[in-house]
Amino acid sequence: MKLEQLLQQIDYKCIQGSIDCDVPQLILDSRQADITYGALFFCIPGANFDGHDFAPAMAEKGATVFVVSRPIPGLPKEATVVLVEDTRYAMAHISAAWFGHPAKKLKVIGITGTKGKTTTTYLVKSILENAGRKVGLVGTIETIIGQKHIPAKNTTPESYLLQQTFAEMVEAGLDTVVMEVSSQALMQHRTQGFVFDFGIFTNLSADHIGPNEHGSFEEYAACKALLFKQCKVGIVNGDDSNVELITRAHTCKLETYGLGHHNDLQAKDLTLDKDPGALGISFRVDGLTQMDVTVPTPGRFSVYNALCAVAICRHFDVPKDKVRSSLAKAKVKGRIEKVDISDKFTLLIDYAHNAMSLQSLLETLKEYQPGRLVCLFGCGGNRAKSRRYEMGEVSGNLADLTVITSDNPRFEKPLDIIEDIKVGIQKTDGKYMEIPDRRQAIGYVIENAREGDLIVLAGKGHEDYQEIEGVKYPMDERIIIQELLDGGLHHI
C-alpha cells in the first residue's frame, strides 16, 4: 500500500525522504524478527523503552519508513521519516487504513467502566446471537472470532492488533463486535481510527491509579470520558455519581439506564431469588422498553449489567422473548461463577480485585442471609498499597470470616502483601486468618464449610495462572477445587 494513502487521516510532516513509496509491512515491536525490506516502523515511547532509540537498528534490518514524534539522528539518507505529534495516535489511524477500515463493516459496541465490562459484553453477545446476529468479542478474558477463542493479553489490544482483529471478524462473516474499552486503551489511543456505534459507561470508582497506571482519579476519569467523543450513541449508568464527569464533553446522543426514576430505562420491583444452591434476582424493565427479567446471578450489580445489556440490544430490535431467555441462562467465567460441589453450602468464584468491587459483591451476598459469609482473597503485587488496606477493611467489615492468601504477588513477597492487607482488616472487628498458599487456603474453606455458608474466592476470577517473579504458573481455581475433591476432601 502507498504510504500517502496510509497517512490520509492524520496530520504529519515528511521531514526526510518521500511519501510516494510502497509500504509492504507495518512494525510496532523492535523485537520482531521477520522484517520485509521497505517496512514502516512506529517509534512508540513506552514506560521502560522508547522505540525511537531502536530506529537505527530497525533500519539495518530493512525498515525504510519511520513514524516519529521527534527527529532521530543516524538514519540512512534514503529513509523516509514522517513526523507526527503522537505516534500511538498515528499508528491507530495508519493501522485502520492498512486493514481497509474494517470497523466500518461492523456494528461496534464499546463498554468502559470500573466494573461490569466483562459481564456485560458476554450478556450482549449472548442476546444478539440469540437474535441471529454474528458477534465477535474483545475483552479481558479472551477475543472470540466465530469458533476461535484467543486468550487475552490486554483488555483492549494495541491499535494494530485491534484493527487486525476487526479485519479477521469481517473475513469470518461477523456483523457485530462488542468489546471492553479500558482507560489505558483510551489514553494510549488504541481505539482511534474508527467511531463506535455505541459507547457504554457502567460505573466509575478509584482504580488503576498508581505506578505505570493513572496518576490520579481525575486522569482516570478523563480517559474514560474520551469514549463519548468517539461514539454515535452513548448509553450510560445514570445512577453513577460520576456520570456527569464522564459525559461533560460528550459529542454523542445520550441515553441513561439505572434504578432511579430519572433514567430513560429503569429497573423496578427487584426480587431476590434464593433456591437451594442458586442465587438470582428478578426485576421489571420500564421506560424505553418494558419486560420482566430474571438473571441467575445475585444482586443489584447483576441488575445493572442486565439492564445495560437490554439498553444496548433494544437498538438491534431483538425480540423480548429472546432477551429474556438469553439473560435467564447467562453465565460468565469468573464473574459470580457458581461451582457445584455441595447442596449444603454455596461456593462462588469472582474477579473482585479492588475495594469497590469487593464491597459490592459482599454486600450483595449478605442480602441473601447466608449462615456465614466467608471471603478468601489476596492482592496483587506491584500495585498501590492503598488497595490492600481498603480491601482488608471491606472484608473485615462485611465477611464473617476472611481468609487472607496470595493472589499475583509479581515481584513482591506474598507475606509483605498480606501484612498490608492486615493493616486494613485490623481496623475492624472481623475474624480473619492467614494461609499464604492459595491452594491450601481453598482447601481450608471447603474442608471447614458449614451448612448454609456462602463462600467466595475473590480476586482471580477467570485467571488460570499465578504470576510470581515475572513467571506465570498454572493456577485455575476450578482445577484446584476438583483436585482437592479427588484427593480426599470428605467434609462435603
Side-chain angles (χ1 to χ4, degrees):
M1 184 177 288
K2 289 288 186 183
L3 176 59
E4 186 175 12
Q5 292 176 278
L6 295 174
L7 299 174
Q8 285 180 353
Q9 299 300 316
I10 61 173
D11 294 325
Y12 66 92
K13 183 178 181 180
C14 184
I15 60 174
Q16 181 178 313
S18 170
I19 61 170
D20 183 20
C21 62
D22 291 314
V23 174
Q25 185 183 26
L26 303 185
I27 305 291
L28 54 151
D29 189 338
S30 61
R31 295 168 295 183
Q32 185 164 328
D34 54 331
I35 296 175
T36 303
Y37 181 79
L40 181 154
F41 178 61
F42 296 104
C43 297
I44 306 295
N48 301 311
F49 303 100
D50 187 340
H52 292 79
D53 299 333
F54 296 92
M58 296 303 290
E60 291 180 6
K61 292 181 180 180
T64 63
V65 180
F66 299 86
V67 176
V68 304
S69 57
R70 58 177 171 80
I72 301 173
L75 289 177
K77 292 181 179 180
E78 62 272 20
T80 295
V81 182
V82 177
L83 180 66
V84 297
E85 183 177 346
D86 188 307
T87 50
R88 282 189 177 276
Y89 181 86
M91 179 169 70
H93 283 275
I94 291 171
S95 297
W98 177 263
F99 287 104
H101 299 283
K104 291 182 179 180
K105 302 165 189 173
L106 299 163
K107 284 290 185 183
V108 185
I109 305 162
I111 303 178
T112 198
T114 302
K115 63 187 184 74
K117 298 188 297 297
T118 299
T119 298
T120 306
T121 57
Y122 280 90
L123 293 179
V124 170
K125 184 176 187 294
S126 175
I127 294 170
L128 293 181
E129 287 183 334
N130 199 15
R133 296 193 72 92
K134 297 179 179 179
V135 186
L137 183 145
V138 178
T140 301
I141 299 176
E142 61 188 344
T143 291
I144 304 175
I145 306 173
Q147 299 302 311
K148 187 178 177 182
H149 292 250
I150 307 161
K153 294 182 180 179
N154 301 102
T155 295
T156 312
E158 285 287 359
S159 57
Y160 176 88
L161 298 175
L162 181 60
Q163 292 294 334
Q164 183 180 53
T165 297
F166 287 167
E168 290 181 19
M169 289 179 175
V170 171
E171 180 68 22
L174 306 188
D175 52 51
T176 307
V177 55
V178 57
M179 59 180 290
E180 297 181 52
V181 183
S182 68
S183 55
Q184 287 279 337
L186 289 162
M187 180 175 69
Q188 296 177 354
H189 308 303
R190 297 180 202 169
T191 59
Q192 286 295 330
F194 67 97
V195 175
F196 289 91
D197 292 282
F198 301 94
I200 317 300
F201 168 67
T202 60
N203 49 66
L204 189 72
S205 66
D207 193 25
H208 299 292
I209 298 168
N212 299 326
E213 295 186 279
H214 294 288
S216 66
F217 178 78
E218 289 72 24
E219 179 189 295
Y220 178 52
C223 290
K224 293 287 190 189
L226 292 172
L227 179 59
F228 300 96
K229 297 180 181 180
Q230 197 191 334
C231 67
K232 298 173 184 176
V233 177
I235 301 174
V236 300
N237 178 353
D239 293 346
D240 191 84
S241 60
N242 292 297
V243 67
E244 290 186 11
L245 181 63
I246 294 296
T247 59
R248 184 179 297 160
H250 76 275
T251 57
C252 58
K253 177 184 176 182
L254 275 184
E255 296 178 4
T256 60
Y257 69 92
L259 275 60
H261 295 295
H262 60 283
N263 290 296
D264 299 316
L265 195 69
Q266 305 159 26
K268 298 179 176 179
D269 305 326
L270 277 60
T271 303
L272 301 182
D273 300 325
K274 185 179 181 182
D275 296 322
L279 304 175
I281 193 163
S282 301
F283 60 95
R284 170 75 181 166
V285 178
D286 203 358
L288 293 173
T289 190
Q290 296 84 36
M291 70 180 80
D292 294 314
V293 168
T294 296
V295 291
T297 50
R300 290 190 172 220
F301 54 78
S302 293
V303 174
Y304 277 106
N305 293 339
L307 190 62
C308 181
V310 172
I312 296 166
C313 293
R314 78 172 195 87
H315 286 274
F316 292 81
D317 298 321
V318 179
K320 293 178 183 179
D321 63 321
K322 293 189 179 296
V323 174
R324 284 194 294 266
S325 63
S326 296
L327 292 175
K329 60 186 179 183
K331 293 181 180 179
V332 182
K333 185 178 181 180
R335 270 54 178 185
I336 331 175
E337 178 187 351
K338 185 173 179 291
V339 183
D340 292 312
I341 63 171
S342 174
D343 57 3
K344 295 180 180 179
F345 61 88
T346 302
L347 179 62
L348 303 173
I349 295 175
D350 192 80
Y351 190 51
H353 61 289
N354 59 45
M356 178 188 180
S357 56
L358 188 64
Q359 180 170 342
S360 179
L361 174 64
L362 296 182
E363 286 179 344
T364 290
L365 298 179
K366 283 184 78 72
E367 292 180 5
Y368 288 81
Q369 300 179 334
R372 288 188 312 169
L373 179 56
V374 179
C375 178
L376 178 153
F377 81 97
C379 288
N382 303 104
R383 297 292 186 268
K385 286 193 174 188
S386 58
R387 179 184 293 187
R388 304 168 192 176
Y389 308 148
E390 292 164 357
M391 289 183 69
E393 190 167 357
V394 164
S395 189
N397 281 325
L398 294 172
D400 296 296
L401 173 65
T402 298
V403 178
I404 307 173
T405 187
S406 185
D407 193 291
N408 291 320
R410 299 187 175 91
F411 291 95
E412 289 193 69
K413 295 180 180 179
L415 293 179
D416 290 343
I417 298 172
I418 288 173
E419 287 301 313
D420 288 336
I421 296 171
K422 287 165 59 178
V423 170
I425 203 167
Q426 287 171 353
K427 294 180 181 179
T428 75
D429 295 325
K431 295 180 181 179
Y432 73 91
M433 61 188 304
E434 307 166 43
I435 306 179
D437 184 287
R438 195 173 184 101
R439 181 187 182 91
Q440 291 178 7
I442 292 170
Y444 176 86
V445 295
I446 294 175
E447 186 74 44
N448 292 278
R450 301 175 187 172
E451 188 162 355
D453 277 0
L454 207 170
I455 303 167
V456 58
L457 313 181
K460 297 295 291 177
H462 63 278
E463 292 180 352
D464 58 3
Y465 63 86
Q466 185 174 46
E467 186 176 349
I468 304 172
E469 297 287 346
V471 179
K472 291 184 176 180
Y473 296 92
M475 176 179 276
D476 187 320
E477 292 184 323
R478 299 148 202 80
I479 294 174
I480 288 174
I481 291 166
Q482 190 57 54
E483 287 176 347
L484 289 168
L485 299 179
D486 292 344
L489 281 182
H490 301 300
H491 176 72
I492 59 173

